């Protein structure tokens, strides 16, 4: 991989990173290299596409204040069209029955509305796209001129965040306490925060779980995120892109075919 350094420098000209980039690298450095450096786009597994559509629909509900499912038919259909009308499409081998998927999505969202999840909120506080300097919370020093980008699903109050999660199986109780994405939100907002996870479990009979508020502190949890992000940057600049060869390999990894060819590239 002689062109790694050149590729990375070309990609990171803007010196901008995100939680998604870092979490991809931590799961598998080689997967990160193929996706973000080589920019090889692969079809998404169907359950990932479902999650994207649900996020778009819920954001629309919150922005527009819609509560009537009849008014959501068109936005949901457009969300599915947008999610599937891309060059990479949906992962081969997975059947996509649009009629079934539309009905499934509408059923999931209708149940969510009945749970009275859709509280009124300012459109400016839904899917907040933030770009901030990456700096150490403990000494306020910027890290290597880096910028940190992130999207917050919903900011209910100045320090109250709602993170929406979709899954096709039961979410393990307490797992949200170990998610470090919320730690990144401390860095993006520059303050202590309180996070509530809103889970939509897309099973035959949908389940809806609202977690208890979880407090995240800027100087402790924000510092943990800073350390993970800064170590990620340093490792990529040192060209650490070998495969992890873990449980995500095989059918769970979109780059399994390329991984089998490593390191012949």
């Amino acid at each position: 991989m002689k062109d790694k350094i050149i590729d990375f420098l070309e990609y990171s000209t803007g010196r901008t990173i995100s939680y998604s980039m870092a979490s991809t690298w931590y799961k598998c450095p080689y997967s990160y290299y193929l996706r973000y450096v080589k920019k090889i786009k692969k079809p998404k597994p169907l359950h990932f596409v479902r999650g994207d559509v649900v996020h778009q629909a819920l954001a629309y509900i919150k922005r527009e204040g819609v509560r009537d499912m009849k008014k959501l038919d068109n936005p949901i259909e457009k969300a599915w069209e947008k999610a599937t009308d891309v060059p990479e499409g949906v992962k081969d081998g997975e059947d996509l029955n649009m009629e079934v998927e539309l009905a499934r999505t509408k059923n999931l969202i209708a149940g969510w509305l009945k749970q009275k999840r859709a509280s009124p909120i300012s459109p400016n506080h839904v899917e907040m796209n933030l770009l901030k300097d990456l700096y150490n919370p403990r000494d306020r020093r910027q890290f290597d001129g880096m910028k940190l980008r992130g999207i917050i699903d919903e900011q209910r109050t100045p320090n109250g965040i709602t993170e929406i999660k979709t899954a096709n199986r039961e979410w393990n109780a307490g797992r949200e306490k170990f998610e470090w994405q919320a730690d990144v939100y401390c860095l993006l907002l520059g303050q202590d925060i309180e996070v509530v996870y809103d889970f939509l479990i897309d099973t035959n009979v949908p389940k809806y779980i609202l977690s208890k508020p979880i407090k995240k502190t800027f100087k402790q949890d924000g510092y943990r995120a800073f350390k993970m992000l800064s170590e990620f940057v340093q490792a990529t600049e040192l060209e650490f892109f070998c495969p992890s060869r873990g449980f995500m390999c095989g059918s769970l990894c979109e780059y399994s075919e390329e991984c089998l060819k490593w390191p012949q590239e």
Side-chain angles (χ1 to χ4, degrees):
M1 301 182 189
K2 297 179 180 178
D3 57 347
K4 277 184 185 175
I5 294 179
I6 295 174
D7 284 340
F8 182 78
L9 291 175
E10 287 179 350
Y11 171 75
S12 61
T13 301
R15 308 289 288 172
T16 300
I17 60 173
S18 68
Y19 165 80
S20 296
M21 294 168 63
S23 63
T24 299
W25 183 86
Y26 276 107
K27 289 174 184 175
C28 178
Y30 193 55
S31 178
Y32 166 85
Y33 171 72
L34 294 172
R35 178 179 300 173
Y36 291 104
V37 180
K38 282 296 190 180
K39 300 182 182 178
I40 298 175
K41 294 186 177 181
K42 303 283 283 187
K44 286 185 177 182
L46 186 52
H47 64 275
F48 284 177
V49 179
R50 288 185 186 127
D52 290 344
V53 171
V54 170
H55 269 78
Q56 290 180 45
L58 297 189
Y60 177 83
I61 289 171
K62 293 172 181 293
R63 282 197 307 268
E64 304 298 327
V66 177
R67 300 293 180 272
D68 186 352
M69 277 301 300
K70 292 181 180 178
K71 295 181 180 180
L72 290 171
D73 285 350
N74 190 47
I76 291 175
E77 289 171 8
K78 285 187 175 180
W80 265 106
E81 288 175 6
K82 180 180 179 181
T84 55
D85 187 22
V86 291
E88 55 269 23
V90 179
K91 190 174 181 180
D92 293 338
E94 294 193 88
D95 295 327
L96 176 61
N97 185 319
M98 189 59 73
E99 184 177 347
V100 171
E101 294 300 334
L102 286 171
R104 183 173 180 168
T105 303
K106 291 173 184 178
N107 182 52
L108 183 65
I109 293 173
W112 182 83
L113 282 171
K114 287 180 181 179
Q115 297 285 323
K116 298 181 180 178
R117 294 283 210 262
S119 56
I121 189 170
S122 166
N124 295 328
H125 292 84
V126 176
E127 288 201 327
M128 297 169 58
N129 196 329
L130 303 176
L131 179 65
K132 299 291 181 67
D133 291 334
L134 176 62
Y135 61 91
N136 188 330
R138 295 188 176 177
D139 59 19
R140 298 281 178 169
R141 292 184 181 179
Q142 188 178 8
F143 177 75
D144 199 23
M146 279 286 176
K147 296 281 187 180
L148 175 63
R149 183 184 296 281
I151 298 177
I152 295 177
D153 288 338
E154 177 185 316
Q155 186 176 18
R156 308 183 316 277
T157 63
N159 69 334
I161 303 298
T162 298
E163 177 70 10
I164 294 171
K165 295 286 187 182
T166 58
N168 57 3
R169 61 185 184 280
E170 190 69 55
W171 187 268
N172 295 329
R175 178 175 170 180
E176 64 271 12
K177 294 179 182 179
F178 302 97
E179 291 282 311
W180 67 285
Q181 185 172 9
D183 300 347
V184 175
Y185 296 155
C186 286
L187 292 179
L188 287 168
L189 294 174
Q191 63 186 30
D192 296 351
I193 62 174
E194 188 176 77
V195 184
V196 172
Y197 288 88
D198 194 351
F199 300 108
L200 288 81
I201 312 299
D202 186 16
T203 49
N204 291 333
V205 179
K207 298 179 182 179
Y208 307 91
I209 302 172
L210 197 63
S211 77
K212 294 180 179 179
I214 299 171
K215 293 184 178 180
K216 296 285 186 177
T217 62
F218 179 63
K219 287 192 174 180
Q220 180 174 323
D221 299 299
Y223 180 72
R224 179 170 76 125
F226 167 78
K227 288 291 290 181
M228 295 188 75
L229 290 168
S230 58
E231 287 171 5
F232 149 70
V233 171
Q234 292 168 348
T236 52
E237 290 181 337
L238 289 172
E239 303 179 72
F240 189 87
F241 295 128
C242 65
S244 63
R245 309 286 191 184
F247 74 96
M248 290 295 289
C249 295
S251 61
L252 293 177
C253 178
E254 55 197 317
Y255 296 105
S256 55
E257 185 178 340
E258 287 82 357
C259 186
L260 291 174
K261 300 176 182 178
W262 187 89
Q264 288 87 1
E265 183 185 2

